Amino acid sequence: MKLLFDLNSLRPPRSGIGYYTQHLLEGLREQSDVEDVAGWVGSSVYSGTSLTDLMTDQTSLPAAAQFSDGLKARLLRKSRGLPGLYRMRTIVRHHASRALRRDFGRRGYIYHETNFIASPYKGPMVVTVHDLSHRRHPEFHPRVAVDYLDRGLPRTLRHAQTIIADSIYTRNEILEIYGVPEEKVVPIYLGVEPSFQPYSEEVCAPALQALGLRRQGFVLSVCTLQPRKNLHRLVEAFAALPAEMRQAYPLLLIGAEGWKNSTLMQSIRSLARVGQIATPGYVSRSTLLQLYASAAVFAYPSLYEGFGLPVAEAMASGVPVLTSNVTSMPEVAAGAALEVNPYSVEEITSGLERLLSDAPLRAELVAKGLRRAAELTWESTVKQTLNVYRALAA
């Protein structure tokens, strides 16, 4: 088999879809019946050594535009709201890669689009759909992004021979909303990197010292700061905890600044001034691993997830997890987390207080979480994805 990927998701800073793509590439290249794995960015083709270099060196591609503070952030937000922006970017990318896609199609490559919208391709095609939040909760996203997905995703789902969903929940969403044949949609869970594991206090010291934190002395949440992640309710719930508990266990929000979060940032300020909330933004992978392994509690009361990989990463890191009882989160946690109604600030507050004050419960969830996370491996993800390709190649 010969496999082809759009590698734009590998642009730094690498997001969840970027790491999904990377782990697939790494695992597939080790399979005996995979003759070649190739991909493109613009008009450039990557295979063999050049693909290895691209996967391991995140500086080899220009960074994707990111929100930041000040004038640059304001200009970026305005530009992302321009009508036709996503469509124009898509047209430019399709034009740059048109000739090479035709060549790969003639040579019998199976094209796997890992990021929702596939480029036109005359050959067997697989697409991964990670969630359908743009349909269930369009209010959580920039309008241009919703329009882009509404236009492009139905076409992609029609043309793809197989659709991979991150969970059974997402598979059911695809079937209900788009009415595609049941046999066309395959649920394949994501995996957890082996680097997410419990680490000693000595290993975690650099990250803790840099942020002025103590081991098992803070509540951690990791996500892009956007409405779907329900951070405004998490912050409100945290603010309702007893003052001494907030002081002993400050809330650490890790992630790039996203969109529609001005109200969230305002609510954070008063608690940040007294050292009870910190928002360091996007952090390095090594720092992230140390923070996961050092938290007292991982809080992820998201309103909608197609999988919820941070929940699995936290469990693998040996941290008790509080998460939502909706969408895919119960499926991923499989009874190894404390689940709450994410629309209830009172339930989130109660859950946080219970975990922070109940050491036996934390220990129980840590043990259950480690066992559950061990079942979610990238090796399994690659193996099941390879079976999809084999069925197409047969």
Side-chain angles (χ1 to χ4, degrees):
M1 288 181 296
K2 296 178 289 188
L3 308 173
L4 178 66
F5 293 82
D6 180 344
L7 302 176
N8 276 286
S9 63
L10 297 183
R11 292 179 183 274
R14 209 159 282 175
S15 66
I17 295 176
Y19 282 108
Y20 168 71
T21 305
Q22 178 180 333
H23 291 306
L24 282 182
L25 294 170
E26 290 171 343
L28 292 168
R29 297 174 79 194
E30 298 176 355
Q31 306 303 313
S32 59
D33 57 345
V34 174
E35 181 182 343
D36 186 33
V37 178
W40 81 85
V41 176
S43 58
S44 299
V45 174
Y46 296 85
S47 183
T49 302
S50 65
L51 181 57
T52 300
D53 293 342
L54 185 69
M55 290 190 296
T56 55
D57 181 8
Q58 292 197 31
T59 65
S60 58
L61 286 176
Q66 293 292 306
F67 289 113
S68 57
D69 295 323
L71 177 62
K72 182 179 179 182
R74 291 194 294 273
L75 291 174
L76 183 55
R77 288 190 186 95
K78 287 183 178 180
S79 71
R80 287 186 172 180
L82 292 175
L85 176 68
Y86 276 63
R87 179 169 172 76
M88 181 57 65
R89 183 189 67 178
T90 301
I91 290 172
V92 170
R93 287 183 175 178
H94 285 178
H95 179 74
S97 62
R98 180 183 302 166
L100 66 87
R101 281 184 282 110
R102 286 177 180 169
D103 179 57
F104 279 113
R106 285 193 297 265
R107 292 157 57 192
Y109 279 71
I110 297 172
Y111 165 34
H112 184 173
E113 177 52 62
T114 60
N115 193 12
F116 291 92
I117 306 297
S119 297
Y121 190 69
K122 293 183 178 180
M125 184 170 70
V126 177
V127 62
T128 298
V129 176
H130 300 280
D131 66 74
L132 293 180
S133 60
H134 74 286
R135 289 295 303 269
R136 293 304 194 194
H137 294 284
E139 71 277 11
F140 292 164
H141 302 277
R143 184 69 248 175
V144 290
V146 174
D147 290 344
Y148 169 74
L149 288 166
D150 278 343
R151 281 195 302 267
L153 190 54
R155 173 186 57 80
T156 290
L157 298 182
R158 286 195 304 271
H159 292 169
Q161 278 71 43
T162 304
I163 302 161
I164 294 175
D166 287 351
S167 62
I168 296 171
Y169 174 83
T170 299
R171 177 182 185 269
N172 292 339
E173 290 269 272
I174 294 169
L175 296 175
E176 178 183 341
I177 293 175
Y178 292 104
V180 299
E182 289 191 20
E183 64 275 9
K184 191 173 179 176
V185 190
V186 179
I188 300 178
Y189 287 157
L190 305 183
V192 181
E193 289 182 32
S195 56
F196 286 94
Q197 59 180 274
Y199 289 102
S200 68
E201 185 171 0
E202 181 181 8
V203 169
C204 298
L208 297 176
Q209 291 172 2
L211 293 170
L213 299 168
R214 63 183 178 86
R215 185 170 175 83
Q216 296 183 351
F218 61 97
V219 176
L220 176 67
S221 192
V222 177
C223 60
T224 302
L225 309 189
Q226 54 159 302
R228 177 161 62 100
K229 303 303 181 179
N230 203 28
L231 293 176
H232 69 288
R233 287 191 182 88
L234 174 59
V235 170
E236 187 178 346
F238 177 80
L241 290 172
E244 62 274 14
M245 185 171 281
R246 297 198 307 270
Q247 205 63 45
Y249 298 98
L251 176 61
L252 185 66
L253 302 179
I254 296 293
E257 186 180 343
W259 50 88
K260 296 186 178 183
N261 60 17
S262 57
T263 302
L264 168 67
M265 301 312 290
Q266 290 174 5
S267 68
I268 285 172
R269 289 192 183 105
S270 61
L271 292 171
R273 280 196 293 269
V274 294
Q276 294 178 3
I277 288 186
T279 55
Y282 187 90
V283 300
S284 69
R285 200 67 167 174
S286 60
T287 297
L288 182 63
L289 294 173
Q290 294 170 30
L291 292 173
Y292 262 118
S294 300
V297 170
F298 182 76
Y300 200 78
S302 179
L303 298 175
Y304 183 103
E305 293 291 328
F307 185 79
L309 187 56
V311 168
E313 291 172 342
M315 292 191 297
S317 301
V319 179
V321 173
L322 178 145
T323 192
S324 304
N325 62 2
V326 299
T327 68
S328 66
M329 269 81 79
E331 187 179 342
V332 173
L338 180 61
E339 298 172 13
V340 298
N341 176 1
Y343 293 94
S344 169
V345 172
E346 291 77 14
E347 277 200 35
I348 300 172
T349 300
S350 176
L352 288 173
E353 187 167 12
R354 184 181 173 195
L355 281 176
L356 291 171
S357 60
D358 190 339
L361 176 60
R362 291 200 303 273
E364 177 187 346
L365 291 181
V366 166
K368 289 182 176 179
L370 287 169
R371 289 195 295 269
R372 172 54 176 160
E375 298 171 349
L376 301 169
T377 68
W378 284 114
E379 181 181 4
S380 176
T381 305
V382 169
K383 181 179 179 181
Q384 293 177 72
T385 305
L386 191 61
N387 287 337
V388 169
Y389 304 148
R390 286 171 177 152
L392 287 180

